[in-house]
Amino acid sequence: MSDPALLATPLLWLTVTLGVFEVFDSLSKRCDRHPLLHPVLWSTPVLIALLLASGTSYETYKAATFPVSFLLGPAVVGLAVPVWRERARIRRLAIPIVLALGAGAVTSIVSAVGVLALFGAPREILASIAPRATTTPVAMAVAGQLGGVPALAAVIVLFAGVFGAMVATPLLNALGLGGYRARGFALGVAAHGIGTARAFQVDATAGAMASLAMALNAVVTAALLSVVALLV
Amino acid sequence: MRIAEHVSPCFIPVMLRAIFLLLACQLAGEAIHRITSLPLPGAVIGMVLLVGWLALVPRERPTLTVVTGWLTAHLSIMFVPAAVGLIEEGPVLSRYGVGLVTATVASTLLTLIVTALVFRWAFVRFAPEGEA
């Protein structure tokens, strides 16, 4: 362990990251992908503890794990594929999709930034929560663009996804908001990938609507926030 | 060895073409982002470009589906390195932690309700065929 040459290669932290993630991922798989057992939720604190214990700087870690985080870009571009696959559905449901997407995206941004502003948070923190309904890679990119903290955005988004996936069914049941299309779409807009995974567990149509909503919301929220950033 | 069992020999070069398509769209997105100073992230512009390309050249693309499916299936681990960056955000979390949790909870609940309500209303009003 004390060989500096070996410690200096990206190999060590890349391997440790994949290993730690795999442990929690198989645990999550075994528990039917329960939102509370999301592997990122558990591997992040473990990896932070390992970095602190070994006295490794985040700079070193970030450089070592670059090959993994680099894939986020192509993955975001790939969201085009579900949108394209669902084009018939988009055309058929164009009006509900456009209206619900617009209302949901605006509600998400205004309520998140508004409530946090009541706590006196500075602009940097507000910019990190503003894209909280988009899928993590987009939220990180948008937060960075607005002068926020990508790491903070990633964790907020994760928390929102876990929370949304857990409350959606009881909440929408209690309000009598039925219909798998409406529910799935709301889950995708409010709780991105984790919500989408949950929607697929409930119903295939809900899942398809959720993944479509997630992909469309990535563009709409990013565009809305870009316009806001230009004006403010 | 497992790859050789499941994937035909001509599959790999086609796979490279799918990866090239994704990277080319992202690169073009980054270029547009920088040249026009459009504040959208390059990857998001790249996604719009890819939708445009698929519409322009519509045909079956099984390998693109496989590659993007693989990326989506492993999306979670890609943001672990960023989430570990919280290691440097201790002061922010201890100062605004309560506000961050409150705002995220409130925003997620409201977004779920408003989106489902508006979707159902518009569905009944404009596309009445079956259940929303």
PDB file of all heavy atoms in Angstrom, chain A residues 158-192:
ATOM      1  N   LEU A 158     -30.444  13.172  -6.085  1.00  0.00           N
ATOM      2  CA  LEU A 158     -30.552  11.801  -5.592  1.00  0.00           C
ATOM      3  C   LEU A 158     -31.605  11.709  -4.500  1.00  0.00           C
ATOM      4  O   LEU A 158     -32.467  10.829  -4.497  1.00  0.00           O
ATOM      5  CB  LEU A 158     -29.188  11.423  -5.032  1.00  0.00           C
ATOM      6  CG  LEU A 158     -28.855   9.962  -5.004  1.00  0.00           C
ATOM      7  CD1 LEU A 158     -28.759   9.460  -6.430  1.00  0.00           C
ATOM      8  CD2 LEU A 158     -27.548   9.762  -4.272  1.00  0.00           C
ATOM      9  N   PHE A 159     -31.532  12.644  -3.568  1.00  0.00           N
ATOM     10  CA  PHE A 159     -32.473  12.660  -2.450  1.00  0.00           C
ATOM     11  C   PHE A 159     -33.896  12.885  -2.962  1.00  0.00           C
ATOM     12  O   PHE A 159     -34.842  12.209  -2.542  1.00  0.00           O
ATOM     13  CB  PHE A 159     -32.053  13.745  -1.449  1.00  0.00           C
ATOM     14  CG  PHE A 159     -33.058  13.991  -0.371  1.00  0.00           C
ATOM     15  CD1 PHE A 159     -33.415  12.978   0.506  1.00  0.00           C
ATOM     16  CD2 PHE A 159     -33.669  15.228  -0.246  1.00  0.00           C
ATOM     17  CE1 PHE A 159     -34.359  13.199   1.498  1.00  0.00           C
ATOM     18  CE2 PHE A 159     -34.601  15.456   0.744  1.00  0.00           C
ATOM     19  CZ  PHE A 159     -34.952  14.440   1.609  1.00  0.00           C
ATOM     20  N   ALA A 160     -34.055  13.825  -3.909  1.00  0.00           N
ATOM     21  CA  ALA A 160     -35.376  14.103  -4.483  1.00  0.00           C
ATOM     22  C   ALA A 160     -35.935  12.849  -5.156  1.00  0.00           C
ATOM     23  O   ALA A 160     -37.123  12.542  -5.021  1.00  0.00           O
ATOM     24  CB  ALA A 160     -35.284  15.247  -5.489  1.00  0.00           C
ATOM     25  N   GLY A 161     -35.072  12.116  -5.867  1.00  0.00           N
ATOM     26  CA  GLY A 161     -35.515  10.912  -6.558  1.00  0.00           C
ATOM     27  C   GLY A 161     -35.981   9.842  -5.584  1.00  0.00           C
ATOM     28  O   GLY A 161     -37.042   9.238  -5.764  1.00  0.00           O
ATOM     29  N   VAL A 162     -35.196   9.615  -4.545  1.00  0.00           N
ATOM     30  CA  VAL A 162     -35.547   8.599  -3.547  1.00  0.00           C
ATOM     31  C   VAL A 162     -36.856   8.985  -2.867  1.00  0.00           C
ATOM     32  O   VAL A 162     -37.788   8.178  -2.753  1.00  0.00           O
ATOM     33  CB  VAL A 162     -34.416   8.452  -2.506  1.00  0.00           C
ATOM     34  CG1 VAL A 162     -34.877   7.584  -1.340  1.00  0.00           C
ATOM     35  CG2 VAL A 162     -33.181   7.849  -3.150  1.00  0.00           C
ATOM     36  N   PHE A 163     -36.949  10.251  -2.465  1.00  0.00           N
ATOM     37  CA  PHE A 163     -38.153  10.728  -1.777  1.00  0.00           C
ATOM     38  C   PHE A 163     -39.375  10.633  -2.690  1.00  0.00           C
ATOM     39  O   PHE A 163     -40.421  10.097  -2.294  1.00  0.00           O
ATOM     40  CB  PHE A 163     -37.934  12.165  -1.296  1.00  0.00           C
ATOM     41  CG  PHE A 163     -39.122  12.752  -0.596  1.00  0.00           C
ATOM     42  CD1 PHE A 163     -39.500  12.302   0.652  1.00  0.00           C
ATOM     43  CD2 PHE A 163     -39.882  13.736  -1.213  1.00  0.00           C
ATOM     44  CE1 PHE A 163     -40.614  12.823   1.292  1.00  0.00           C
ATOM     45  CE2 PHE A 163     -40.990  14.276  -0.580  1.00  0.00           C
ATOM     46  CZ  PHE A 163     -41.351  13.817   0.673  1.00  0.00           C
ATOM     47  N   GLY A 164     -39.235  11.120  -3.918  1.00  0.00           N
ATOM     48  CA  GLY A 164     -40.350  11.096  -4.866  1.00  0.00           C
ATOM     49  C   GLY A 164     -40.829   9.679  -5.144  1.00  0.00           C
ATOM     50  O   GLY A 164     -42.028   9.404  -5.164  1.00  0.00           O
ATOM     51  N   ALA A 165     -39.867   8.761  -5.337  1.00  0.00           N
ATOM     52  CA  ALA A 165     -40.235   7.374  -5.637  1.00  0.00           C
ATOM     53  C   ALA A 165     -41.003   6.765  -4.470  1.00  0.00           C
ATOM     54  O   ALA A 165     -41.909   5.961  -4.668  1.00  0.00           O
ATOM     55  CB  ALA A 165     -38.976   6.558  -5.927  1.00  0.00           C
ATOM     56  N   MET A 166     -40.659   7.156  -3.249  1.00  0.00           N
ATOM     57  CA  MET A 166     -41.305   6.560  -2.093  1.00  0.00           C
ATOM     58  C   MET A 166     -42.694   7.139  -1.818  1.00  0.00           C
ATOM     59  O   MET A 166     -43.590   6.426  -1.378  1.00  0.00           O
ATOM     60  CB  MET A 166     -40.422   6.715  -0.859  1.00  0.00           C
ATOM     61  CG  MET A 166     -39.117   5.972  -1.052  1.00  0.00           C
ATOM     62  SD  MET A 166     -38.264   5.665   0.464  1.00  0.00           S
ATOM     63  CE  MET A 166     -39.511   4.897   1.412  1.00  0.00           C
ATOM     64  N   VAL A 167     -42.885   8.462  -2.079  1.00  0.00           N
ATOM     65  CA  VAL A 167     -44.168   9.069  -1.712  1.00  0.00           C
ATOM     66  C   VAL A 167     -45.191   9.096  -2.839  1.00  0.00           C
ATOM     67  O   VAL A 167     -46.368   9.304  -2.587  1.00  0.00           O
ATOM     68  CB  VAL A 167     -44.001  10.508  -1.165  1.00  0.00           C
ATOM     69  CG1 VAL A 167     -43.155  10.496   0.089  1.00  0.00           C
ATOM     70  CG2 VAL A 167     -43.446  11.434  -2.225  1.00  0.00           C
ATOM     71  N   ALA A 168     -44.742   8.915  -4.099  1.00  0.00           N
ATOM     72  CA  ALA A 168     -45.643   9.145  -5.232  1.00  0.00           C
ATOM     73  C   ALA A 168     -46.944   8.353  -5.130  1.00  0.00           C
ATOM     74  O   ALA A 168     -48.036   8.932  -5.212  1.00  0.00           O
ATOM     75  CB  ALA A 168     -44.925   8.829  -6.545  1.00  0.00           C
ATOM     76  N   THR A 169     -46.844   7.034  -4.942  1.00  0.00           N
ATOM     77  CA  THR A 169     -48.066   6.219  -4.933  1.00  0.00           C
ATOM     78  C   THR A 169     -49.015   6.598  -3.795  1.00  0.00           C
ATOM     79  O   THR A 169     -50.183   6.914  -4.056  1.00  0.00           O
ATOM     80  CB  THR A 169     -47.710   4.722  -4.910  1.00  0.00           C
ATOM     81  OG1 THR A 169     -46.922   4.435  -6.070  1.00  0.00           O
ATOM     82  CG2 THR A 169     -48.952   3.849  -4.925  1.00  0.00           C
ATOM     83  N   PRO A 170     -48.560   6.614  -2.533  1.00  0.00           N
ATOM     84  CA  PRO A 170     -49.504   7.013  -1.471  1.00  0.00           C
ATOM     85  C   PRO A 170     -50.039   8.432  -1.647  1.00  0.00           C
ATOM     86  O   PRO A 170     -51.238   8.672  -1.438  1.00  0.00           O
ATOM     87  CB  PRO A 170     -48.667   6.898  -0.181  1.00  0.00           C
ATOM     88  CG  PRO A 170     -47.258   6.717  -0.600  1.00  0.00           C
ATOM     89  CD  PRO A 170     -47.267   6.174  -1.978  1.00  0.00           C
ATOM     90  N   LEU A 171     -49.168   9.376  -2.086  1.00  0.00           N
ATOM     91  CA  LEU A 171     -49.602  10.767  -2.242  1.00  0.00           C
ATOM     92  C   LEU A 171     -50.687  10.898  -3.306  1.00  0.00           C
ATOM     93  O   LEU A 171     -51.758  11.471  -3.062  1.00  0.00           O
ATOM     94  CB  LEU A 171     -48.398  11.654  -2.605  1.00  0.00           C
ATOM     95  CG  LEU A 171     -48.729  13.108  -2.944  1.00  0.00           C
ATOM     96  CD1 LEU A 171     -49.019  13.902  -1.674  1.00  0.00           C
ATOM     97  CD2 LEU A 171     -47.584  13.766  -3.712  1.00  0.00           C
ATOM     98  N   LEU A 172     -50.414  10.328  -4.503  1.00  0.00           N
ATOM     99  CA  LEU A 172     -51.368  10.483  -5.601  1.00  0.00           C
ATOM    100  C   LEU A 172     -52.640   9.678  -5.337  1.00  0.00           C
ATOM    101  O   LEU A 172     -53.723  10.076  -5.743  1.00  0.00           O
ATOM    102  CB  LEU A 172     -50.708  10.099  -6.932  1.00  0.00           C
ATOM    103  CG  LEU A 172     -49.501  10.987  -7.299  1.00  0.00           C
ATOM    104  CD1 LEU A 172     -48.812  10.487  -8.554  1.00  0.00           C
ATOM    105  CD2 LEU A 172     -49.914  12.442  -7.472  1.00  0.00           C
ATOM    106  N   ASN A 173     -52.526   8.555  -4.603  1.00  0.00           N
ATOM    107  CA  ASN A 173     -53.719   7.811  -4.179  1.00  0.00           C
ATOM    108  C   ASN A 173     -54.584   8.673  -3.273  1.00  0.00           C
ATOM    109  O   ASN A 173     -55.793   8.766  -3.453  1.00  0.00           O
ATOM    110  CB  ASN A 173     -53.323   6.546  -3.414  1.00  0.00           C
ATOM    111  CG  ASN A 173     -53.059   5.385  -4.344  1.00  0.00           C
ATOM    112  OD1 ASN A 173     -53.428   5.429  -5.515  1.00  0.00           O
ATOM    113  ND2 ASN A 173     -52.417   4.363  -3.820  1.00  0.00           N
ATOM    114  N   ALA A 174     -53.958   9.294  -2.285  1.00  0.00           N
ATOM    115  CA  ALA A 174     -54.683  10.094  -1.299  1.00  0.00           C
ATOM    116  C   ALA A 174     -55.411  11.245  -1.977  1.00  0.00           C
ATOM    117  O   ALA A 174     -56.490  11.645  -1.552  1.00  0.00           O
ATOM    118  CB  ALA A 174     -53.719  10.617  -0.238  1.00  0.00           C
ATOM    119  N   LEU A 175     -54.803  11.789  -3.058  1.00  0.00           N
ATOM    120  CA  LEU A 175     -55.423  12.922  -3.742  1.00  0.00           C
ATOM    121  C   LEU A 175     -56.371  12.461  -4.847  1.00  0.00           C
ATOM    122  O   LEU A 175     -56.952  13.289  -5.554  1.00  0.00           O
ATOM    123  CB  LEU A 175     -54.339  13.822  -4.345  1.00  0.00           C
ATOM    124  CG  LEU A 175     -53.434  14.512  -3.320  1.00  0.00           C
ATOM    125  CD1 LEU A 175     -52.281  15.222  -4.019  1.00  0.00           C
ATOM    126  CD2 LEU A 175     -54.241  15.514  -2.503  1.00  0.00           C
ATOM    127  N   GLY A 176     -56.522  11.150  -5.007  1.00  0.00           N
ATOM    128  CA  GLY A 176     -57.405  10.631  -6.040  1.00  0.00           C
ATOM    129  C   GLY A 176     -56.934  10.959  -7.442  1.00  0.00           C
ATOM    130  O   GLY A 176     -57.731  11.073  -8.368  1.00  0.00           O
ATOM    131  N   LEU A 177     -55.610  11.125  -7.620  1.00  0.00           N
ATOM    132  CA  LEU A 177     -55.068  11.459  -8.940  1.00  0.00           C
ATOM    133  C   LEU A 177     -54.682  10.175  -9.669  1.00  0.00           C
ATOM    134  O   LEU A 177     -53.516   9.799  -9.721  1.00  0.00           O
ATOM    135  CB  LEU A 177     -53.852  12.375  -8.790  1.00  0.00           C
ATOM    136  CG  LEU A 177     -54.179  13.856  -8.642  1.00  0.00           C
ATOM    137  CD1 LEU A 177     -52.937  14.637  -8.261  1.00  0.00           C
ATOM    138  CD2 LEU A 177     -54.748  14.406  -9.934  1.00  0.00           C
ATOM    139  N   GLY A 178     -55.684   9.513 -10.224  1.00  0.00           N
ATOM    140  CA  GLY A 178     -55.419   8.230 -10.856  1.00  0.00           C
ATOM    141  C   GLY A 178     -54.914   8.361 -12.275  1.00  0.00           C
ATOM    142  O   GLY A 178     -54.653   9.454 -12.770  1.00  0.00           O
ATOM    143  N   GLY A 179     -54.816   7.219 -12.952  1.00  0.00           N
ATOM    144  CA  GLY A 179     -54.378   7.194 -14.329  1.00  0.00           C
ATOM    145  C   GLY A 179     -52.890   6.947 -14.427  1.00  0.00           C
ATOM    146  O   GLY A 179     -52.101   7.752 -13.947  1.00  0.00           O
ATOM    147  N   TYR A 180     -52.499   5.827 -15.059  1.00  0.00           N
ATOM    148  CA  TYR A 180     -51.079   5.477 -15.105  1.00  0.00           C
ATOM    149  C   TYR A 180     -50.270   6.449 -15.939  1.00  0.00           C
ATOM    150  O   TYR A 180     -49.099   6.672 -15.688  1.00  0.00           O
ATOM    151  CB  TYR A 180     -50.919   4.051 -15.631  1.00  0.00           C
ATOM    152  CG  TYR A 180     -51.237   3.013 -14.589  1.00  0.00           C
ATOM    153  CD1 TYR A 180     -52.048   1.929 -14.871  1.00  0.00           C
ATOM    154  CD2 TYR A 180     -50.708   3.131 -13.296  1.00  0.00           C
ATOM    155  CE1 TYR A 180     -52.332   0.981 -13.905  1.00  0.00           C
ATOM    156  CE2 TYR A 180     -50.987   2.187 -12.333  1.00  0.00           C
ATOM    157  CZ  TYR A 180     -51.805   1.120 -12.635  1.00  0.00           C
ATOM    158  OH  TYR A 180     -52.082   0.200 -11.675  1.00  0.00           O
ATOM    159  N   ARG A 181     -50.896   7.047 -16.979  1.00  0.00           N
ATOM    160  CA  ARG A 181     -50.152   7.990 -17.803  1.00  0.00           C
ATOM    161  C   ARG A 181     -49.787   9.233 -17.003  1.00  0.00           C
ATOM    162  O   ARG A 181     -48.632   9.656 -16.967  1.00  0.00           O
ATOM    163  CB  ARG A 181     -50.956   8.375 -19.033  1.00  0.00           C
ATOM    164  CG  ARG A 181     -50.860   7.346 -20.137  1.00  0.00           C
ATOM    165  CD  ARG A 181     -51.663   7.793 -21.329  1.00  0.00           C
ATOM    166  NE  ARG A 181     -52.921   7.075 -21.361  1.00  0.00           N
ATOM    167  CZ  ARG A 181     -53.368   6.405 -22.420  1.00  0.00           C
ATOM    168  NH1 ARG A 181     -52.686   6.402 -23.531  1.00  0.00           N
ATOM    169  NH2 ARG A 181     -54.502   5.768 -22.382  1.00  0.00           N
ATOM    170  N   ALA A 182     -50.802   9.816 -16.337  1.00  0.00           N
ATOM    171  CA  ALA A 182     -50.566  11.030 -15.552  1.00  0.00           C
ATOM    172  C   ALA A 182     -49.568  10.764 -14.429  1.00  0.00           C
ATOM    173  O   ALA A 182     -48.638  11.529 -14.190  1.00  0.00           O
ATOM    174  CB  ALA A 182     -51.886  11.541 -14.976  1.00  0.00           C
ATOM    175  N   ARG A 183     -49.726   9.627 -13.739  1.00  0.00           N
ATOM    176  CA  ARG A 183     -48.849   9.287 -12.634  1.00  0.00           C
ATOM    177  C   ARG A 183     -47.415   9.075 -13.080  1.00  0.00           C
ATOM    178  O   ARG A 183     -46.478   9.586 -12.477  1.00  0.00           O
ATOM    179  CB  ARG A 183     -49.321   8.004 -11.970  1.00  0.00           C
ATOM    180  CG  ARG A 183     -50.424   8.213 -11.007  1.00  0.00           C
ATOM    181  CD  ARG A 183     -51.031   6.875 -10.670  1.00  0.00           C
ATOM    182  NE  ARG A 183     -52.061   7.080  -9.685  1.00  0.00           N
ATOM    183  CZ  ARG A 183     -51.976   6.650  -8.436  1.00  0.00           C
ATOM    184  NH1 ARG A 183     -50.937   5.963  -8.036  1.00  0.00           N
ATOM    185  NH2 ARG A 183     -52.930   6.914  -7.587  1.00  0.00           N
ATOM    186  N   GLY A 184     -47.275   8.286 -14.151  1.00  0.00           N
ATOM    187  CA  GLY A 184     -45.935   8.008 -14.655  1.00  0.00           C
ATOM    188  C   GLY A 184     -45.262   9.300 -15.096  1.00  0.00           C
ATOM    189  O   GLY A 184     -44.091   9.542 -14.779  1.00  0.00           O
ATOM    190  N   PHE A 185     -46.008  10.132 -15.807  1.00  0.00           N
ATOM    191  CA  PHE A 185     -45.434  11.379 -16.294  1.00  0.00           C
ATOM    192  C   PHE A 185     -44.991  12.255 -15.131  1.00  0.00           C
ATOM    193  O   PHE A 185     -43.889  12.822 -15.139  1.00  0.00           O
ATOM    194  CB  PHE A 185     -46.443  12.129 -17.177  1.00  0.00           C
ATOM    195  CG  PHE A 185     -45.814  13.151 -18.066  1.00  0.00           C
ATOM    196  CD1 PHE A 185     -45.202  12.765 -19.249  1.00  0.00           C
ATOM    197  CD2 PHE A 185     -45.803  14.491 -17.708  1.00  0.00           C
ATOM    198  CE1 PHE A 185     -44.593  13.708 -20.059  1.00  0.00           C
ATOM    199  CE2 PHE A 185     -45.197  15.436 -18.530  1.00  0.00           C
ATOM    200  CZ  PHE A 185     -44.595  15.039 -19.711  1.00  0.00           C
ATOM    201  N   ALA A 186     -45.835  12.345 -14.088  1.00  0.00           N
ATOM    202  CA  ALA A 186     -45.499  13.161 -12.912  1.00  0.00           C
ATOM    203  C   ALA A 186     -44.242  12.619 -12.233  1.00  0.00           C
ATOM    204  O   ALA A 186     -43.366  13.390 -11.817  1.00  0.00           O
ATOM    205  CB  ALA A 186     -46.671  13.172 -11.938  1.00  0.00           C
ATOM    206  N   LEU A 187     -44.130  11.302 -12.143  1.00  0.00           N
ATOM    207  CA  LEU A 187     -42.943  10.716 -11.512  1.00  0.00           C
ATOM    208  C   LEU A 187     -41.669  11.051 -12.286  1.00  0.00           C
ATOM    209  O   LEU A 187     -40.637  11.359 -11.696  1.00  0.00           O
ATOM    210  CB  LEU A 187     -43.101   9.198 -11.423  1.00  0.00           C
ATOM    211  CG  LEU A 187     -43.377   8.641 -10.035  1.00  0.00           C
ATOM    212  CD1 LEU A 187     -43.679   7.163 -10.119  1.00  0.00           C
ATOM    213  CD2 LEU A 187     -42.186   8.874  -9.112  1.00  0.00           C
ATOM    214  N   GLY A 188     -41.752  10.985 -13.606  1.00  0.00           N
ATOM    215  CA  GLY A 188     -40.577  11.292 -14.414  1.00  0.00           C
ATOM    216  C   GLY A 188     -40.161  12.748 -14.286  1.00  0.00           C
ATOM    217  O   GLY A 188     -38.968  13.061 -14.219  1.00  0.00           O
ATOM    218  N   VAL A 189     -41.146  13.655 -14.249  1.00  0.00           N
ATOM    219  CA  VAL A 189     -40.827  15.083 -14.134  1.00  0.00           C
ATOM    220  C   VAL A 189     -40.279  15.382 -12.730  1.00  0.00           C
ATOM    221  O   VAL A 189     -39.296  16.098 -12.575  1.00  0.00           O
ATOM    222  CB  VAL A 189     -42.068  15.964 -14.412  1.00  0.00           C
ATOM    223  CG1 VAL A 189     -41.785  17.424 -14.067  1.00  0.00           C
ATOM    224  CG2 VAL A 189     -42.475  15.857 -15.866  1.00  0.00           C
ATOM    225  N   ALA A 190     -40.910  14.820 -11.687  1.00  0.00           N
ATOM    226  CA  ALA A 190     -40.549  15.189 -10.312  1.00  0.00           C
ATOM    227  C   ALA A 190     -39.356  14.415  -9.781  1.00  0.00           C
ATOM    228  O   ALA A 190     -38.606  14.926  -8.954  1.00  0.00           O
ATOM    229  CB  ALA A 190     -41.752  14.976  -9.392  1.00  0.00           C
ATOM    230  N   ALA A 191     -39.173  13.176 -10.223  1.00  0.00           N
ATOM    231  CA  ALA A 191     -38.183  12.316  -9.569  1.00  0.00           C
ATOM    232  C   ALA A 191     -37.283  11.568 -10.554  1.00  0.00           C
ATOM    233  O   ALA A 191     -36.710  10.525 -10.211  1.00  0.00           O
ATOM    234  CB  ALA A 191     -38.874  11.337  -8.638  1.00  0.00           C
ATOM    235  N   HIS A 192     -37.118  12.090 -11.789  1.00  0.00           N
ATOM    236  CA  HIS A 192     -36.148  11.614 -12.790  1.00  0.00           C
ATOM    237  C   HIS A 192     -35.951  10.090 -12.809  1.00  0.00           C
ATOM    238  O   HIS A 192     -36.912   9.343 -12.768  1.00  0.00           O
ATOM    239  CB  HIS A 192     -34.827  12.359 -12.621  1.00  0.00           C
ATOM    240  CG  HIS A 192     -34.261  12.266 -11.230  1.00  0.00           C
ATOM    241  ND1 HIS A 192     -33.421  11.271 -10.869  1.00  0.00           N
ATOM    242  CD2 HIS A 192     -34.479  13.014 -10.122  1.00  0.00           C
ATOM    243  CE1 HIS A 192     -33.128  11.399  -9.596  1.00  0.00           C
ATOM    244  NE2 HIS A 192     -33.751  12.451  -9.121  1.00  0.00           N
TER     245      HIS A 192
END
